[in-house]
Amino acid sequence: MRKIIASTYTTLDGFIDNPHEWSLSYNSEDAMAYALALTTGCDALLLGRITYEGMAQAWPNMGGNPYSDHVNAITKYVVASQPVDTAAWNPTVVVPGDDLTAQITKLKEQDGGDILIWGNGHLTDHLATAGLLDEYRVWIYPVLKGRGEPLFRPESVTGIELADTTTFTSGVTVLTYKPASD
């Protein structure tokens, strides 16, 4: 069965918004190699509507390297309860929000690579609660913002256990967590 992996950038003090403003200067070669391996091991990208709409403005214009070429080529699944412009970033499939659990269960059961989620929000909370989220990959950046959108919310409460730690030359550390085995 395919795994669903949520990969999220966060500041040391736990904020995830506007990573383009604070993460780019930490893109060391070893971190980029890790990101490429993670991404190319996945053949689907699962996003909430707001994240999708933001990414769809920039990503179709990127290309010419293995990372962005792979991201642009794989199927994007966008969870939405309102209309989405799927032509903005092809191939894209809309997953109706009211049928999220059933549709993602079917997607996990299909043959293929793992499924990647960028970000950590209501979508990851829902998948974790439904027992469908297999890993959190939390990229901790040596940055203090002081405020912003938090990494986790009250709805995020669940048991997890550390599965792996990777530290890069830039000072960024990826903590991999899996659901706790009771």
Side-chain angles (χ1 to χ4, degrees):
M1 183 176 291
R2 302 162 85 179
K3 290 191 311 186
I4 297 179
I5 302 167
S7 180
T8 307
Y9 292 0
T10 184
T11 60
L12 181 59
D13 54 349
F15 298 107
I16 61 174
D17 52 312
N18 301 312
H20 61 282
E21 294 175 0
W22 45 264
S23 68
L24 298 177
S25 63
Y26 296 94
N27 286 347
S28 59
E29 284 186 37
D30 54 346
M32 295 302 91
Y34 180 97
L36 178 63
L38 172 61
T39 303
T40 56
C42 299
D43 65 2
L45 186 59
L46 179 59
L47 304 164
R49 181 188 55 81
I50 294 170
T51 302
Y52 171 82
E53 288 175 344
M55 298 293 184
Q57 292 177 17
W59 276 91
N61 301 315
M62 296 182 201
N65 65 70
Y67 186 87
S68 59
D69 290 347
H70 181 76
V71 168
N72 283 323
I74 64 177
T75 301
K76 277 66 72 180
Y77 293 87
V78 57
V79 178
S81 54
Q82 52 188 280
V84 175
D85 179 9
T86 59
W89 194 17
N90 283 314
T92 297
V93 174
V94 174
V95 175
D98 60 355
D99 198 25
L100 173 62
T101 302
Q103 292 295 318
I104 300 307
T105 299
K106 288 180 190 174
L107 183 62
K108 278 188 76 163
E109 293 171 348
Q110 294 174 359
D111 289 335
D114 291 332
I115 302 162
L116 184 62
I117 299 175
W118 281 343
N120 193 55
H122 299 291
L123 173 59
T124 52
D125 291 345
H126 179 90
L127 294 175
T129 300
L132 295 171
L133 186 66
D134 298 289
E135 287 183 9
Y136 290 97
R137 301 257 183 123
V138 181
W139 297 62
I140 301 174
Y141 282 75
V143 173
L144 299 173
K145 276 185 60 172
R147 65 177 185 264
E149 184 179 339
L151 174 60
F152 293 107
R153 293 144 306 286
E155 300 82 17
S156 303
V157 174
T158 190
I160 57 175
E161 53 191 38
L162 184 64
D164 191 37
T165 303
T166 305
T167 301
F168 304 114
T169 57
S170 63
V172 173
T173 299
V174 176
L175 301 176
T176 301
Y177 290 94
K178 295 184 179 194
S181 52
D182 296 325

